[in-house]
Amino acid sequence: QVQLVESGGGLVQAGGSLRLSCAASGRTFSTYAMGWFSTYAMGWFRQAPGKEREFVAAISWSGTNTYYADSVKGRFTISRDNAKNTVYLQMNSLQPEDTAVYYCAGRTASDYKTSRYDYNYWGQGTQVTVSS
């Protein structure tokens, strides 16, 4: 079973920045499992109080392809380090409307998707609060 653990959330003023991290673990070591994380597409989603969980950003297994929600394009950057089994979300120019619980998600396929229903594993979430 795969575990995803997010970190890096917190309280920041509007215009500020935060960097979220998501560390993946849990696969049993084996020759087949070596490098397993590098075969998974990863994504970030967020959920504000009273709202549906929404797509934020996604990245393909190699990191070559990325995709962003229009609301964060140009402000957020998703990246990954497969050697560390970690995916990141750099968030700049944060606004109060970015306030939400941010979730890391993993998909057992190499291509990224924007629907939450296409992801197999989820982290517990990390709170991001942006004050005006």
Side-chain angles (χ1 to χ4, degrees):
Q1 187 69 9
V2 172
Q3 289 87 45
L4 302 177
V5 179
E6 303 96 335
S7 61
L11 174 64
V12 64
Q13 289 188 331
S17 298
L18 283 174
R19 188 195 196 202
L20 305 184
S21 298
C22 172
S25 64
R27 287 290 300 270
T28 302
F29 178 82
S30 71
T31 301
Y32 175 79
M34 287 178 64
W36 62 270
F37 179 75
S38 64
T39 68
Y40 285 20
M42 300 295 294
W44 286 96
F45 290 75
R46 67 186 181 186
Q47 188 167 16
K51 294 188 177 181
E52 293 286 319
R53 189 170 300 188
E54 66 174 3
F55 169 77
V56 174
I59 188 167
S60 62
W61 68 276
S62 64
T64 302
N65 297 312
T66 57
Y67 189 78
Y68 299 92
D70 288 341
S71 58
V72 306
K73 199 173 296 182
R75 301 188 298 123
F76 291 12
T77 302
I78 188 171
S79 61
R80 65 190 297 162
D81 185 338
N82 286 341
K84 296 182 179 179
N85 287 6
T86 301
V87 63
Y88 305 97
L89 185 68
Q90 177 67 45
M91 306 186 294
N92 299 328
S93 301
L94 283 162
Q95 300 301 316
E97 53 266 34
D98 295 315
T99 295
V101 177
Y102 283 71
Y103 296 91
C104 171
R107 168 174 158 76
T108 54
S110 59
D111 60 321
Y112 62 75
K113 296 290 185 181
T114 61
S115 170
R116 58 179 176 167
Y117 300 107
D118 288 316
Y119 288 81
N120 307 95
Y121 301 106
W122 293 85
Q124 82 289 349
T126 185
Q127 177 70 47
V128 171
T129 302
V130 184
S131 63
S132 57

